[in-house]
Amino acid sequence: MQITSPAFKSNVAEALADPHLQKALHFTRPRFPERRAAAVAALPEFETLRDIGRDIKNHTLANLDFYLEIWADNVEKSGGQVHWCATADDARAAVLAICQRVGAKTVTKGKSMISEELGINEHLEKHGIEPVETDLGEYILQIRGEGPSHIIAPAFHLNREDWEESFRKTHTDLPADRVFGERRDIMVEARTILREKFIAADVGITGANFLIAETGSSVIVTNEGNGDLTQTLPKVHIALASIEKLVPTLEDATSLLRLLARSATGQDFSVYTTFSTGARRPDDLDGPEEYHVVVIDNGRSAMIGTEFQDMLRCIRCAACMNHCPVYFTVGGHSYGWVYPGPMGSVLTPSLIGVEKAGHLPNASTFCGKCESVCPVKIPLPKLMRHWREREFERHLTPGAMRNNLAIWGWFARRPQLYRAATRVAAWGLGLLGRKRGRFSWLPFAGGWTDGRDLPAPEGDTFFARYARQQRHKS
Amino acid sequence: MSRDAILGAIRRGLRRGPLPDDQKLALRARLDAHPRHLIPARSQVPRPAQVALFIANVEKEFGSVTRVPTLADVPGAIADYLAAGNLPAHFAMAPHPELMDLQWALLQPRIGRAQPSDLVCLTQAFAGIAETGTLMLPAEPTRPTTLNLLGDIALVVLRASRIVGPYEDAWNWLRARHDSTTGGFMPRNVMLVTGPSRSADIESTLELGAHGPRQLHIVLVDDDPAAIA
Ligand code: SF4
């Protein structure tokens, strides 16, 4: 997928000015948190399970080499093949080689973020193989030539009219005057068209939510059933998985599954949670004859042992972005690559470099909501702060910002002066904003006020108020 | 080679070489014991309540359940369901002994895997998980995977004695299985199915019947005296 993260600022400007996007964001924003909250409220053990989830992932990461070897042995014992790929190039080559060996013309695909990261579709197309995305959201994006804007709801930025228009343009075999009365009609049309593709495909490629060392299984989680059709109907199933998807046992996977759907869509469990282990057995009536797992590093191992290791616990539930005020103001495409929102702000600089993705960890209000909902307790704000520090150390921070930070630093080291200056500022702003309680415009602060209002200070500084309260107490 | 490169990079990150033997032994012991973590209390209830929880969760997720006293009542329940939905009397059926032994009378099951043209498919469930109303459907020669996916209507026969509380109990049953091809216990594919297929990809609004079945109907056979309230 093409990287536009360096242009984050202009991406954001476009996103804020896009009424269609803003409509979709506005519509969806409250839904995700409401659904998650309801699912969490119905499971009193949820908080304890978060600790367990964190511990399972930490235990696996601390012994990742050991568990990977066990897992690979078990894949091979069950008749599957493991393809170890250190880089994205290796992974693309491995997938292509399998497809070419079996003479594949079309390949169906289940939703997979790692596939986006690797650019599998582009690579297959370049070699004359047609990839077909089968997740409804991914399918419409493929038609429109767009990337996903969310890791579990890839096309939520589109409105119904966008779907209708794209379907009319693409499905030209169907009567031009057909009516899409309801959303359901759109879905039925996609279902019918994709059924043919499922049946015709030579190879099915899926991602993996988990790999299980104990059994050599890969696990996918979907609601549509497209991932299952993708991996069941063709002769060959290829699962793409990065190394940190591994967990030791079925029990470990089960505990994480209790967290995943609740954190993601607010379901207690997704509709289809499917464990694949090896290829079709001699007496089976269906299923693929070949089962391959392409296991990918592509920058993960370099995070181990660094302050970013915690990020490898991520189970890609999307709770962090679903609760992020920045994400729901600028949308997913602004982040400029595969992984948006708080998890992307930490992961993207690790994978493509902080030179390219330095804006992302800066796009945070540090409200802390992401960390508070993360099912595996990744300290996302802290990790973003680490990136800011690294960026600053490497002099990647822009000059104006360095200057402003230097000015702030000068004042901050002189508390008397700092308090005097903030007192004047708070008093002045408080006076100006007295009527409305907030500003929709301020000189030099357009970057803030274009997307949201700045609350006006109430005429006092924090220090002054704190001191007053302390006096009251004593 | 990529394998060594990846394992080497991980070990460098962890600032150690390959694990020493005693630590390997400890990790192998953990794999062999596959310890359970916290099991939510909601499914740790007496048998009748467990079955009721299973049914309530299936219905919450837009599935439906008919309870019948014996296996012999299954064809009648299915005939009623098909008639009520104006559905044809022919369907694809898993070659599972539990289903094969039944008297299908006027219904016309075709034994085998599902074909893309099948409107209705019938299979047999290995287990039901009360915690979330989930069916466990492991692939076997007698339980082809396509039957779970290709029909518009998925029908599943489940015996009440096969309903457990948490997933872990169902895994334990599966662990007792032996796969002669691999020497392990996992079949090629194990599907955990909770309700009919759905998508919220169009304007974040839920629609049933995305790529898989639009309806999931379970015929629950009350073969467990302890589970009858
Ligand atoms: S960082 Fe946490 S909340 Fe965000 S996607 Fe990953 S697991 Fe979910």
Side-chain angles (χ1 to χ4, degrees):
Chain A
M1 207 176 134
Q2 213 195 331
I3 297 171
T4 68
S5 308
F8 179 74
K9 288 193 175 172
S10 58
N11 293 349
V12 166
E14 272 171 44
L16 292 175
D18 179 348
H20 287 288
L21 173 65
Q22 291 301 327
K23 181 176 149 200
L25 289 169
H26 193 77
F27 182 73
T28 309
R29 181 171 187 170
R31 302 187 166 209
F32 283 122
E34 279 165 16
R35 289 177 190 156
R36 175 189 175 276
V40 169
L43 187 67
E45 295 91 346
F46 191 83
E47 278 309 308
T48 317
L49 284 168
R50 286 177 71 207
D51 289 331
I52 292 170
R54 176 200 57 204
D55 295 347
I56 291 171
K57 281 290 194 172
N58 282 347
H59 170 80
T60 315
L61 289 168
N63 301 290
L64 189 58
D65 53 334
F66 171 84
Y67 282 125
L68 275 172
E69 293 198 275
I70 298 271
W71 165 80
D73 281 354
N74 285 328
V75 174
E76 275 151 22
K77 272 189 209 148
S78 55
Q81 291 179 50
V82 179
H83 306 260
W84 298 80
C85 296
T87 65
D89 279 339
D90 295 348
R92 281 189 293 262
V95 170
L96 182 66
I98 300 167
C99 293
Q100 286 179 332
R101 182 174 51 74
V102 299
K105 291 191 190 66
T106 65
V107 169
T108 40
K109 295 191 63 223
K111 204 176 93 57
S112 154
M113 298 312 293
I114 190 99
S115 166
E116 302 280 348
E117 179 184 325
L118 301 170
I120 294 289
N121 288 5
E122 295 80 348
H123 195 66
L124 291 176
E125 276 165 2
K126 213 165 72 194
H127 292 85
I129 298 169
E130 185 197 353
V132 181
E133 293 291 347
T134 62
D135 172 88
L136 282 182
E138 292 283 350
Y139 176 64
I140 182 97
L141 294 178
Q142 189 181 25
I143 289 180
R144 295 169 66 89
E146 288 182 31
S149 72
H150 189 278
I151 61 172
I152 65 160
F156 90 92
H157 61 280
L158 297 177
N159 298 299
R160 194 167 138 183
E161 310 82 68
D162 303 320
W163 287 79
E164 294 186 11
E165 184 203 294
S166 300
F167 275 23
R168 280 188 205 287
K169 232 188 256 167
T170 313
H171 306 155
T172 45
D173 296 354
L174 299 173
D177 57 354
R178 66 194 184 282
V179 186
F180 294 102
E182 302 164 41
R183 292 192 189 88
R184 179 157 188 88
D185 300 334
I186 302 173
M187 190 172 79
V188 169
E189 181 166 314
R191 176 186 167 115
T192 312
I193 290 197
L194 287 167
R195 260 304 158 96
E196 313 262 293
K197 304 279 186 188
F198 282 125
I199 296 159
D202 306 294
V203 174
I205 301 181
T206 66
N209 290 79
F210 301 100
L211 301 174
I212 301 176
E214 175 198 13
T215 56
S217 310
S218 60
V219 184
I220 62 166
V221 178
T222 77
N223 279 322
E224 296 183 4
N226 65 309
D228 287 281
L229 287 166
T230 298
Q231 66 184 22
T232 302
L233 297 183
K235 285 194 297 286
V236 179
H237 171 206
I238 305 175
L240 307 173
S242 46
I243 52 173
E244 83 281 12
K245 299 286 167 190
L246 195 64
V247 294
T249 65
L250 287 168
E251 281 74 5
D252 295 321
T254 301
S255 291
L256 288 161
L257 284 165
R258 286 194 174 98
L259 294 164
L260 179 60
R262 291 184 172 93
S263 302
T265 53
Q267 289 165 282
D268 289 346
F269 217 58
S270 300
V271 179
Y272 301 109
T273 303
T274 304
F275 298 68
S276 295
T277 314
R280 182 197 285 217
R281 311 288 194 257
D283 296 328
D284 280 352
L285 301 180
D286 52 20
E289 285 152 27
E290 293 181 25
Y291 169 75
H292 299 265
V293 190
V294 175
V295 63
I296 301 138
D297 181 341
N298 204 31
R300 272 80 175 171
S301 62
M303 295 164 71
I304 295 177
T306 72
E307 62 263 60
F308 300 108
Q309 176 172 324
D310 288 346
M311 193 60 218
L312 296 175
R313 293 203 297 267
C314 176
I315 57 171
R316 305 286 190 270
C317 72
C320 54
M321 62 196 74
N322 290 346
H323 292 75
C324 178
V326 177
Y327 178 91
F328 270 100
T329 307
V330 306
H333 285 156
S334 295
Y335 292 81
W337 198 48
V338 180
Y339 303 104
M343 57 81 72
S345 295
V346 177
L347 191 59
T348 304
S350 302
L351 299 183
I352 67 172
V354 70
E355 328 70 64
K356 288 193 197 127
H359 287 310
L360 308 186
N362 283 291
S364 163
T365 63
F366 285 128
C367 69
K369 195 71 197 166
C370 49
E371 180 175 358
S372 76
V373 295
C374 176
V376 284
K377 297 201 162 176
I378 299 173
L380 292 154
K382 188 177 96 186
L383 299 185
M384 281 186 248
R385 214 156 44 230
H386 284 318
W387 276 125
R388 291 188 186 187
E389 283 159 14
R390 285 216 186 170
E391 196 195 14
F392 194 84
E393 280 161 17
R394 292 178 53 188
H395 294 269
L396 294 168
T397 316
M401 196 162 142
R402 295 185 83 85
N403 287 339
N404 290 341
L405 278 174
I407 294 171
W408 179 82
W410 188 86
F411 271 104
R413 275 190 296 264
R414 292 163 181 79
Q416 296 278 333
L417 217 58
Y418 186 90
R419 278 177 212 169
T422 49
R423 205 157 48 227
V424 173
W427 174 79
L429 284 174
L431 206 63
L432 284 170
R434 200 164 42 191
K435 256 219 204 103
R436 282 187 60 219
R438 54 203 148 96
F439 297 97
S440 54
W441 182 86
L442 270 179
F444 311 116
W448 174 286
T449 53
D450 286 354
R452 61 257 194 252
D453 289 349
L454 179 76
E458 289 174 11
D460 229 345
T461 66
F462 168 75
F463 276 121
R465 186 166 294 193
Y466 183 74
R468 212 165 45 232
Q469 277 191 355
Q470 291 299 317
R471 273 200 305 276
H472 273 302
K473 267 195 208 149
S474 55
Chain B
M1 210 189 120
S2 271
R3 175 182 178 128
D4 298 334
I6 294 172
L7 296 175
I10 293 169
R11 288 175 188 140
R12 268 196 306 285
L14 295 170
R15 290 180 191 84
R16 59 163 174 75
L19 281 176
D21 284 346
D22 57 328
Q23 286 186 37
K24 279 191 187 166
L25 270 171
L27 293 180
R28 279 189 195 279
R30 186 187 188 277
L31 285 170
D32 291 340
H34 50 86
R36 292 178 174 203
H37 304 285
L38 173 74
I39 307 277
R42 62 154 69 164
S43 70
Q44 313 293 80
V45 290
R47 287 296 291 155
Q50 238 168 17
V51 174
L53 177 67
F54 175 83
I55 295 172
N57 278 328
V58 169
E59 288 170 351
K60 172 173 169 246
E61 294 303 333
F62 310 101
S64 52
V65 181
T66 313
R67 268 178 110 152
V68 296
T70 66
L71 265 175
D73 300 307
V74 168
I78 287 177
D80 289 348
Y81 184 81
L82 294 177
N86 256 334
L87 293 160
H90 53 89
F91 52 88
M93 185 174 94
H96 194 280
E98 235 169 60
L99 305 177
M100 303 274 280
D101 291 349
L102 298 175
Q103 298 302 315
W104 290 98
L106 293 177
L107 295 175
Q108 299 151 27
R110 192 200 75 244
I111 314 299
R113 57 160 283 173
Q115 298 301 332
S117 53
D118 287 320
L119 186 63
V120 182
C121 298
L122 171 64
T123 193
Q124 186 266 6
F126 176 81
I129 296 150
E131 184 175 343
T132 48
T134 300
L135 295 165
M136 181 181 271
L137 306 171
E140 300 270 1
T142 56
R143 199 186 293 107
T145 308
T146 41
L147 291 169
N148 312 338
L149 294 165
L150 284 172
D152 266 16
I153 320 286
L155 303 175
V156 184
V157 172
L158 169 69
R159 289 189 285 129
S161 59
R162 303 296 293 179
I163 292 181
V164 295
Y167 315 96
E168 283 84 346
D169 286 354
W171 289 131
N172 270 2
W173 279 348
L174 207 62
R175 284 177 194 281
R177 184 184 172 276
H178 178 76
D179 189 312
S180 52
T181 316
T182 66
F185 65 88
M186 282 295 266
R188 180 192 66 77
N189 170 294
V190 181
M191 285 183 72
L192 301 182
V193 176
T194 314
S197 152
R198 68 199 63 179
S199 174
D201 272 348
I202 306 171
E203 295 191 323
S204 309
T205 307
L206 192 70
E207 296 282 347
L208 296 183
H211 287 293
R214 210 156 26 88
Q215 293 174 28
L216 174 72
H217 183 69
I218 298 167
V219 181
L220 182 61
V221 181
D222 266 315
D223 68 335
D224 180 4
I228 299 167

